[in-house]
Amino acid sequence: MRKLSFFSILLLYCVHIFAQGYNEDQTAFANFLKRMYGQTKFEGVKIVEDYDHQYFISVLSLERSLYKKQSDMFRVAQVKAMRQASEFVNGGTVSSDAVIRTTETKDPAGTKGEISVETVERIHSVGFVQGMELLISFTPAADDTQTVFIYSRKIEAAKEKK
């Protein structure tokens, strides 16, 4: 009985040691970028350096009311982040179009009409930047109609300072 209780305490201690955090460095970096965005809003591509690594980040914001489903908004954010990164790396060979479709329907009596508006955004890009992943998405405190997306990719280890 004594061995069993000792073994269970040891097992719980080991589980506690290995269950610290999934990726604390990524979380700390994401919170740093979120605070940095809170101080001064910015969008586009930047190279950010911490103590050990350099990161290639792409920051953009989208208006939430334009998207019916959250998955659509996340997909558009991913494509726009890739477009920004590709434009930065490969040059300005990117174009985008916004197409607005309107349809009008009338009932048989012809008294009431319903108009629906659909906005379609097409992005044309040459080149591709691999490895960009969503680091964090959040709603800024100053504007709750927007969602900010920050995509990142680790570039290389920072040079040692002598």
Side-chain angles (χ1 to χ4, degrees):
M1 185 66 176
R2 193 173 200 190
K3 287 182 181 181
L4 181 63
S5 62
F6 175 72
F7 181 72
S8 61
I9 289 172
L10 183 63
L11 182 65
L12 288 174
Y13 180 72
C14 291
V15 168
H16 178 70
I17 289 174
F18 291 114
Q20 290 298 311
Y22 174 67
N23 197 343
E24 293 174 6
D25 293 336
Q26 290 276 85
T27 304
F29 183 59
N31 288 334
F32 167 73
L33 291 174
K34 185 176 176 181
R35 286 191 310 272
M36 193 165 85
Y37 185 88
Q39 292 291 321
T40 305
K41 291 184 182 182
F42 61 93
E43 288 197 17
V45 177
K46 286 187 175 209
I47 295 178
V48 180
E49 187 174 333
D50 69 359
Y51 296 111
D52 299 324
H53 303 288
Q54 291 179 340
Y55 296 93
F56 183 63
I57 65 167
S58 179
V59 182
L60 61 117
S61 65
L62 297 176
E63 189 164 336
R64 284 189 275 151
S65 64
L66 296 177
Y67 303 96
K68 293 179 183 176
K69 295 188 289 184
Q70 191 174 15
S71 62
D72 294 341
M73 183 174 59
F74 274 80
R75 179 64 182 147
V76 168
Q78 181 183 22
V79 171
K80 282 189 171 189
M82 295 290 183
R83 177 185 60 101
Q84 284 180 347
S86 177
E87 185 176 315
F88 182 80
V89 172
N90 299 320
T93 57
V94 178
S95 64
S96 63
D97 304 325
V99 179
I100 300 174
R101 296 183 197 150
T102 58
T103 57
E104 184 176 352
T105 57
K106 293 184 179 178
D107 64 352
T111 56
K112 292 185 177 178
E114 184 177 312
I115 298 175
S116 64
V117 177
E118 176 185 6
T119 303
V120 178
E121 192 166 343
R122 294 185 293 190
I123 300 172
H124 314 281
S125 177
V126 176
F128 184 70
V129 176
Q130 294 180 338
M132 297 289 287
E133 62 184 31
L134 180 64
L135 181 66
I136 189 172
S137 66
F138 60 92
T139 302
D143 187 5
D144 63 347
T145 63
Q146 300 283 321
T147 299
V148 177
F149 297 89
I150 300 178
Y151 284 81
S152 73
R153 176 182 177 194
K154 188 185 299 185
I155 297 176
E156 63 181 58
K159 308 293 187 265
E160 287 187 26
K161 297 177 183 173
K162 295 181 180 180

